[in-house]
Structures are given as C-alpha cells and as structure tokens.
Amino acid sequence: MSSHGKASAEASESIERDESIGANAGETDSGSTDEVRTSNQEQESATEEPVVTPESTAVDGSGDEESPAGTSALERRIAELEEENSALKDQFLRKSADFENLRKRMQREVAEAAKYGNSQIMLDLVTIIDDFERAIKSADESKDFDSFYDGIAIIEKQFTNMLDRKWGLRRLESVGEEFDPQVHEAIMTEQSSDQDHPVVVEDYQKGYMLHDRVLRSAKVKVAMPTS
C-alpha cells in the first residue's frame, strides 16, 4: 500500500474515534439532563400540600362521632342528675319552711313566757288578796279592832311563809345580828359600851333574800363599840 493510502486509512479511523467519543458524550449529557429533571420533579412533588377532599374528611372525622349507645347513656345520666337536683331543691325548700315555722314558734313561746311567766305567783297573790278582803269585811261587820289586827297579822304570816316556801323569797331578821355589809345598809349608827363589835339594833326596812342572792339589803341602825 502506498503512503497516500495509509494516510487515508488513518484519517478515517481518527474520524470514527471522534464520532464514537462524541456519541458517548452526548449520551452522558442526556443522562445527566434526565437525572436533573427527575430530581426537580421530586422536589416539586415534596413541596406540594396534600389535597383534602370531602371524602377523606368524612373518613377521618368518623372516629370522633359518638356512638348511639354512648349518646343514650349520656342522656340518661343527664336525666338522672336533673331528677336528683329537683329532689334536693324540693327537700331544701321543705327544710327552709320547717326552720322558719320553728323560729316563729320559738319567738311566740318566748313572748308568751315573758308575758305569762308570772301566772303562778300572781295566782298566789290573789289568794292573799282574798284573805285581806275577808278580814276587812269581818272588821266592818264586827267593828272589833283587835280581831281585825289579829286577822291582818295572820295574813301577813301566811303571805311570807308562802313566798319562802314556794318562791324562795326569805325575809331577813336583822335586829340583834352582827352587822354584815353584804346584807345590811347602815342608815344610822350609835356608840355603845355594851358591844365589842357592830350590832344591828333597829330595822328600818326589812331585807330579803331570793334563794342565795340578796334581793334587797336591810336598812338598819347599828350600835358601834366605843373605842
């Protein structure tokens, strides 16, 4: 083969190699472009928000709805509580009315006790008044002063005995007793050589004890020992 023929053959082989390399490069570029396009599509798909449809909402929300059995039980419980509340309210109103009636009755009883609490002693007093009326009538008919005096003395004794026996009202007898400032009130004093301690010598007004308490002090004259 001549030198010109060899050169032509080598040129042809060089052209074929270049075309092969270009084809491979084209395939590589095409693959890279496809990969970039696929990556962009995946990113766009990832950023897109899911579409909510009425069907999906109905399916998702179906779990929150109460069952008919649960609703019926709740309604029964509400009815029971309302009935219990009504019963308690009625009971409260009845108790309030009973308390108000009790309060009014107690007030009435206290008022009646204050008004009529002395009924028994008043009855005892009118009995003594009856005795006085009989004594006065007897004295008016007989004109006997001594009998009248004796009758009055008897009535006075009966009266004081009744007060002491039934009501605890005791009259103090002070003459001859040692002066006691707890039950005596000295109206007058005099010096006496016969006494070595203060002694009541005259009773101007009787004193009275109600049970163990001084109801009224006796007004007395006291003999004081000479110094």
Side-chain angles (χ1 to χ4, degrees), residues 138-159:
S138 176
D140 184 57
E141 292 175 353
S142 64
K143 306 298 182 181
D144 187 350
F145 177 78
D146 292 337
S147 297
F148 177 73
Y149 176 84
D150 293 340
I152 294 299
I154 292 173
I155 293 172
E156 187 266 346
K157 186 176 182 180
Q158 291 176 345
F159 186 33

Side-chain angles (χ1 to χ4, degrees), residues 127-172:
T127 302
I128 300 300
I129 294 174
D130 293 339
D131 293 338
F132 277 119
E133 289 178 347
R134 283 191 290 268
I136 293 172
K137 183 179 179 180
S138 176
D140 184 57
E141 292 175 353
S142 64
K143 306 298 182 181
D144 187 350
F145 177 78
D146 292 337
S147 297
F148 177 73
Y149 176 84
D150 293 340
I152 294 299
I154 292 173
I155 293 172
E156 187 266 346
K157 186 176 182 180
Q158 291 176 345
F159 186 33
T160 55
N161 288 339
M162 181 270 296
L163 291 176
D164 187 7
R165 183 181 69 257
K166 296 187 67 173
W167 302 101
L169 182 65
R170 178 170 56 88
R171 184 166 59 185
L172 296 175

Side-chain angles (χ1 to χ4, degrees), residues 47-224:
T47 56
E48 289 180 358
E49 295 181 357
V51 178
V52 179
T53 63
E55 291 78 8
S56 63
T57 304
V59 172
D60 294 338
S62 61
D64 296 334
E65 295 181 356
E66 295 183 357
S67 63
T71 302
S72 178
L74 180 60
E75 291 176 349
R76 286 197 303 270
R77 182 55 179 163
I78 291 174
E80 291 174 357
L81 291 175
E82 289 178 347
E83 183 178 358
E84 182 179 354
N85 180 64
S86 178
L88 290 174
K89 183 178 180 180
D90 182 69
Q91 184 179 4
F92 171 75
L93 293 176
R94 290 177 181 273
K95 294 295 184 182
S96 297
D98 292 341
F99 177 78
E100 183 64 19
N101 292 334
L102 176 62
R103 186 183 66 83
K104 290 181 178 179
R105 185 172 69 251
M106 291 182 64
Q107 288 181 342
R108 184 170 59 253
E109 290 176 354
V110 169
E112 290 179 354
K115 187 175 182 179
Y116 302 108
N118 297 327
S119 298
Q120 185 58 50
I121 191 172
M122 294 298 105
L123 183 60
D124 293 335
L125 291 178
V126 297
T127 302
I128 300 300
I129 294 174
D130 293 339
D131 293 338
F132 277 119
E133 289 178 347
R134 283 191 290 268
I136 293 172
K137 183 179 179 180
S138 176
D140 184 57
E141 292 175 353
S142 64
K143 306 298 182 181
D144 187 350
F145 177 78
D146 292 337
S147 297
F148 177 73
Y149 176 84
D150 293 340
I152 294 299
I154 292 173
I155 293 172
E156 187 266 346
K157 186 176 182 180
Q158 291 176 345
F159 186 33
T160 55
N161 288 339
M162 181 270 296
L163 291 176
D164 187 7
R165 183 181 69 257
K166 296 187 67 173
W167 302 101
L169 182 65
R170 178 170 56 88
R171 184 166 59 185
L172 296 175
E173 299 296 339
S174 302
V175 176
E177 299 292 329
E178 183 177 356
F179 176 77
D180 183 357
Q182 299 295 328
V183 296
H184 298 140
E185 181 182 352
I187 302 300
M188 294 182 63
T189 61
E190 63 179 18
Q191 299 295 321
S192 174
S193 59
D194 297 333
Q195 306 295 337
D196 56 358
H197 57 272
V199 175
V200 176
V201 294
E202 190 172 350
D203 201 350
Y204 294 114
Q205 186 180 70
K206 297 289 186 180
Y208 287 89
M209 296 284 294
L210 182 60
H211 300 293
D212 59 348
R213 180 179 297 179
V214 177
L215 182 64
R216 188 180 74 180
S217 298
K219 292 179 171 51
V220 297
K221 180 180 180 179
V222 182
M224 304 295 293

Side-chain angles (χ1 to χ4, degrees), residues 14-78:
S14 176
I15 291 170
E16 290 176 357
R17 284 196 302 271
D18 292 338
E19 289 177 353
S20 176
I21 292 171
N24 291 333
E27 291 176 357
T28 302
D29 293 339
S30 176
S32 299
T33 302
D34 293 338
E35 290 177 358
V36 171
R37 185 181 296 110
T38 302
S39 176
N40 291 336
Q41 290 177 352
E42 290 176 354
Q43 291 178 357
E44 290 176 356
S45 299
T47 56
E48 289 180 358
E49 295 181 357
V51 178
V52 179
T53 63
E55 291 78 8
S56 63
T57 304
V59 172
D60 294 338
S62 61
D64 296 334
E65 295 181 356
E66 295 183 357
S67 63
T71 302
S72 178
L74 180 60
E75 291 176 349
R76 286 197 303 270
R77 182 55 179 163
I78 291 174

